[in-house]
Amino acid sequence: MELLWLRSLKEDFIAMNPSLYKKFSNPKKITLHFGQLKMELKAVVRKTLAYDTIGLSHKLHSKFLIPKDVPYEIYNDDGDVYIGPLIAYISLSKYKQLLNQKYVKSLPSFLDYNSVKGVIVICAEDSINLKSGTIEGYYLSKGQKKWKEGIFPLPDAIFNHSLMNQNRISSLQKKIGDKVFNSYRLNLNKWETWQLLSTNSKIAPHLPYTEKYTNIAKVKGLLEKYHSLYLKPASRARGIGQMKLDKERRGISLVDFEKNKLFFKDYQDLSKFLDRKISTNYIVQQAVHYKAKNRHVDFRLVLQKNSDRKWGLTGLVARIAKEGSIITNAQGRDQSILGKKALKSIFGLSDEKAKSIISQMTDIVIEAVNMYEKNGYHLGDLAADIALDPNLHIWLLELQLNYGVNARTTEGLTEFFQRVVSTPFKYAKALSGFTSKNTED
């Protein structure tokens, strides 16, 4: 159905063609839904309207903003009319800093809005009032591709990108149902990830051996076995705090995430250094990597739920580190290229073999994500960091909810970034009930 805003219609009326009115069983009143807002409107017949069009008053208002400069999708369910979708994206930042966020600035240019439509609101945790059922935020005006401020009802669905605590998430879910995804926003703890995933016989062979860092004895035992280790903060992202240890003939070398290099003649000296350096929970992890021209290479696989509410591969990017860097995150990265291209050009694989490796990577990550969802997490958007060793064995290094792709202006990756930005909103639209089947009826 189509929506038409009528200046001649009284504010508490809804208008429709005689045939559509009959299909609705000649109602006296119709309930209109916009997000969690419900309004009872008097039904009136307008012969000038097309069959699949409903009319709402241009003066329609409540304590909430219902934008009139965006295209809506409409469906009816048991005589009620739903317009939308109304989707909220909760940012990591405070409300006052919203418009300064890189992601928010990028959204108007990269979002495939025509595939979503409705009202997309960006807000912050501190702009949500559960008691009054309101969110203060900015909505995307389609025609002008800019953000406009307003107060809105609680939405149909929420794409969470904040550090909101679980009690508040639960309160939101009670209001709108299980339509808050990435509901566990704090990045997945590396040690807890290992503990969970290592119990799965399909995933365990693809996990670098990991233990919780407790003392130098733990490091010594694993370094003697694997010859190369990573020390990683259990909860931090973007490579911050990581250190790489290598056993050498005359001692132990250490390189940190800032490319600082140190050498220790024995474990006693290393122990003294680590005692000073480590002040939070760390893991000790078997080092697995591939080097091309003395540069570390790994992959970031983005997995997202789509408009069919199913997991799908959005894209794979290879990340090539700067020379001497132990991390491939933005700080230590030299360049990013499409994953399939890297598998062919760096690893020398055929097109068919590259596709097979990507398919295997995707299957492993989906298997891992399913374990989290069985434990009560509602996920819809995440990234997996993956290494491929010289024997083409796949290693799952990390799962991240708070991830970046840094592909806005990278040659060849713009379309990938557009898919990464758009797909979660297509999933949110499906969660909202605005499916192709509903809106075409």
Side-chain angles (χ1 to χ4, degrees):
M1 286 191 288
E2 300 283 335
L3 173 60
L4 194 63
W5 296 100
L6 302 174
R7 294 187 180 276
S8 60
L9 192 66
K10 292 182 180 179
E11 65 182 67
D12 56 347
F13 279 76
I14 181 170
M16 57 186 67
N17 173 282
S19 298
L20 187 58
Y21 182 73
K22 186 177 180 180
K23 183 180 178 181
F24 273 77
S25 302
N26 306 317
K28 289 184 178 180
K29 293 183 178 181
I30 288 177
T31 301
L32 179 73
H33 297 254
F34 175 59
Q36 302 307 307
L37 172 65
K38 295 181 184 180
M39 291 179 287
E40 197 171 72
L41 303 177
K42 298 172 187 176
V44 64
V45 173
R46 284 285 180 94
K47 294 181 180 179
T48 54
L49 292 176
Y51 171 73
D52 61 347
T53 300
I54 67 166
L56 293 175
S57 172
H58 205 276
K59 297 185 285 290
L60 179 71
H61 67 86
S62 62
K63 63 180 179 180
F64 303 111
L65 173 63
I66 304 176
K68 298 174 180 63
D69 56 352
V70 299
Y72 288 92
E73 295 213 342
I74 307 170
Y75 74 91
N76 76 85
D77 183 19
D78 198 26
D80 286 10
V81 172
Y82 293 76
I83 66 170
L86 173 55
I87 298 167
Y89 168 86
I90 308 178
S91 174
L92 185 62
S93 74
K94 296 290 186 181
Y95 185 71
K96 289 184 178 180
Q97 283 80 49
L98 268 181
L99 297 183
N100 294 323
Q101 295 296 302
K102 285 184 179 179
Y103 179 87
V104 172
K105 288 180 178 179
S106 299
L107 205 57
S109 299
F110 289 95
L111 175 67
D112 178 14
Y113 177 79
N114 287 329
S115 66
V116 182
K117 299 182 180 177
V119 180
I120 294 174
V121 176
I122 57 164
C123 61
E125 183 183 354
D126 62 350
S127 68
I128 299 171
N129 189 323
L130 288 172
K131 188 175 181 179
S132 64
T134 62
I135 55 174
E136 186 176 358
Y138 298 85
Y139 78 95
L140 185 60
S141 171
K142 179 180 181 291
Q144 297 172 308
K145 279 200 169 185
K146 69 177 184 179
W147 298 106
K148 293 184 178 180
E149 195 170 17
I151 296 175
F152 306 85
L154 291 176
D156 294 306
I158 291 174
F159 177 17
N160 181 43
H161 213 260
S162 72
L163 296 175
M164 191 180 300
N165 67 53
Q166 292 305 295
N167 287 336
R168 195 159 162 81
I169 289 285
S170 296
S171 296
L172 269 173
Q173 290 170 329
K174 287 177 183 177
K175 296 277 189 180
I176 74 170
D178 187 22
K179 297 177 182 179
V180 183
F181 65 96
N182 280 30
S183 53
Y184 187 84
R185 181 57 197 154
L186 293 171
N187 240 352
L188 302 175
N189 181 285
K190 296 178 181 67
W191 174 239
E192 292 172 1
T193 297
W194 160 263
Q195 286 182 302
L196 175 66
L197 299 184
S198 61
T199 63
N200 185 312
S201 60
K202 293 180 181 178
I203 303 174
H206 300 283
L207 300 175
Y209 184 76
T210 303
E211 290 197 24
K212 197 170 185 178
Y213 172 78
T214 52
N215 53 45
I216 195 64
K218 185 84 67 178
V219 173
K220 181 179 180 181
L222 293 177
L223 195 56
E224 293 293 326
K225 181 176 182 179
Y226 295 112
H227 305 290
S228 186
L229 299 173
Y230 277 99
L231 284 166
K232 300 179 179 180
S235 296
R236 286 182 183 172
R238 297 183 174 88
I240 296 170
Q242 289 191 20
M243 294 174 274
K244 185 172 182 287
L245 299 174
D246 287 287
K247 184 184 178 185
E248 299 185 7
R249 190 168 59 182
R250 296 183 180 180
I252 305 111
S253 64
L254 181 150
V255 181
D256 69 14
F257 71 105
E258 294 176 318
K259 297 200 295 186
N260 296 311
K261 297 179 181 180
L262 297 171
F263 184 83
F264 305 92
K265 63 181 181 181
D266 54 37
Y267 287 103
Q268 185 176 357
D269 283 351
L270 176 61
S271 178
K272 291 177 182 177
F273 172 80
L274 294 179
D275 286 345
R276 295 194 307 271
K277 192 77 173 176
I278 295 178
S279 58
T280 186
N281 291 329
Y282 264 69
I283 60 167
V284 189
Q285 190 174 80
Q286 170 192 359
V288 290
H289 55 261
Y290 182 93
K291 278 191 174 183
K293 298 180 180 178
N294 203 36
R295 299 169 190 261
H296 288 280
V297 179
D298 68 12
F299 296 86
R300 173 152 288 176
L301 183 150
V302 177
L303 192 74
Q304 297 174 314
K305 284 182 181 170
N306 54 33
S307 57
D308 295 323
R309 299 170 70 164
K310 295 179 180 178
W311 286 111
L313 172 67
T314 299
L316 181 73
V317 170
R319 306 180 303 173
I320 303 168
K322 297 174 183 176
E323 190 169 357
S325 176
I326 63 167
I327 61 173
T328 56
N329 302 81
Q331 181 178 341
R333 187 184 314 135
D334 181 50
Q335 64 173 315
S336 299
I337 61 175
L338 288 172
K340 186 179 176 184
K341 180 179 179 181
L343 289 170
K344 294 168 71 174
S345 63
I346 296 175
F347 289 80
L349 304 185
S350 66
D351 190 77
E352 184 179 354
K353 183 63 175 177
K355 288 179 181 178
S356 174
I357 291 290
I358 293 171
S359 178
Q360 291 174 54
M361 288 178 175
T362 306
D363 289 344
I364 291 166
V365 177
I366 290 177
E367 181 75 19
V369 169
N370 285 340
M371 291 189 72
Y372 275 97
E373 295 217 295
K374 286 175 183 176
N375 280 8
Y377 295 74
H378 185 169
L379 303 176
D381 174 42
L382 59 81
D385 291 343
I386 295 173
L388 193 65
D389 69 22
N391 297 316
L392 302 184
H393 185 79
I394 298 167
W395 297 95
L396 177 58
L397 305 177
E398 191 173 347
L399 295 175
Q400 292 197 47
L401 302 179
N402 181 16
Y403 69 91
V405 291
N406 298 302
R408 295 168 178 80
T409 57
T410 303
E411 185 178 354
L413 296 184
T414 303
E415 289 183 7
F416 167 67
F417 185 68
Q418 289 172 334
R419 292 195 301 273
V420 170
V421 167
S422 300
T423 304
F425 290 98
K426 295 178 184 180
Y427 174 56
K429 178 182 179 180
L431 281 179
S432 302
F434 291 85
T435 64
S436 57
K437 182 179 183 302
N438 280 346
T439 55
E440 288 172 4
D441 285 347

